[in-house]
Amino acid sequence: MVHRAKAERRAREEAFAAVVGGIEDRSNRYRAVDEGETSPVDNAIINACAPSATWVVEMGVTPNHLSIVGGLLALVALVALWFGHILVFVALFAASYVLDVMDGWLARSFHMYSEWGETLDHVKDCIVVVLLALVL
């Protein structure tokens, strides 16, 4: 029984290492691919956040988590705009944008993309744009 538990734990650790291992190399490789396809602002965000990618993935954060938090930040930002708090709106909307850039980058770079995640991201973006147009 003890040997089986140790073997299962070792298998889980090896599977995790296979997913997380070499993240720095992969993040550098995919960052280079993204640079031609994204804006300079997106590239600056990716370059600033890439060093923490290992920690984010190890903590179990997925691109879907980032999408949901980014969408909630955008909604709170829009409420702040509605009530005339411009600086709060700018700060929260900028944070939402950073999370939007990072969710796509994590999904592509670490092969964490899914059909559900892609749909979630597009629906969230559409809702935020429509609500922004209504608030303005």
Side-chain angles (χ1 to χ4, degrees), residues 5 7-8 16 18-19 21 31 36 68 85-86 94 104 107 109 118-119 126 134:
E8 289 175 356
F16 182 77
V19 170
R31 186 177 331 142
I68 292 168
H85 301 287
I86 303 300
S109 297
E118 185 177 350
T119 302
C126 289
L134 291 175

Side-chain angles (χ1 to χ4, degrees), residues 94-136:
S96 172
Y97 182 74
V98 167
L99 290 176
D100 191 39
V101 170
M102 290 311 298
D103 77 9
W105 180 76
L106 274 178
R108 288 186 308 273
S109 297
F110 302 116
H111 306 290
M112 299 170 74
Y113 46 84
S114 67
E115 194 171 314
W116 159 248
E118 185 177 350
T119 302
L120 172 69
D121 191 49
H122 291 303
V123 168
K124 176 204 55 131
D125 289 342
C126 289
I127 290 171
V128 168
V129 168
V130 167
L131 289 176
L132 181 61
L134 291 175
V135 169
L136 291 176

Side-chain angles (χ1 to χ4, degrees), residues 7 17 38 41-42 59 64 69 77 79-80 87 91 99 122 131 136:
T38 59
V41 174
D42 290 358
M59 294 300 294
N64 292 345
V69 172
V79 170
L87 293 177
L99 290 176
H122 291 303
L131 289 176
L136 291 176

Side-chain angles (χ1 to χ4, degrees), residues 2 13 17-18 29 35 41 59 62 72-73 81 89 91 98 120:
V2 173
E13 289 173 352
R29 182 177 71 223
E35 285 180 1
V41 174
M59 294 300 294
T62 67
L72 292 174
L73 280 176
L81 181 63
F89 165 75
V98 167
L120 172 69

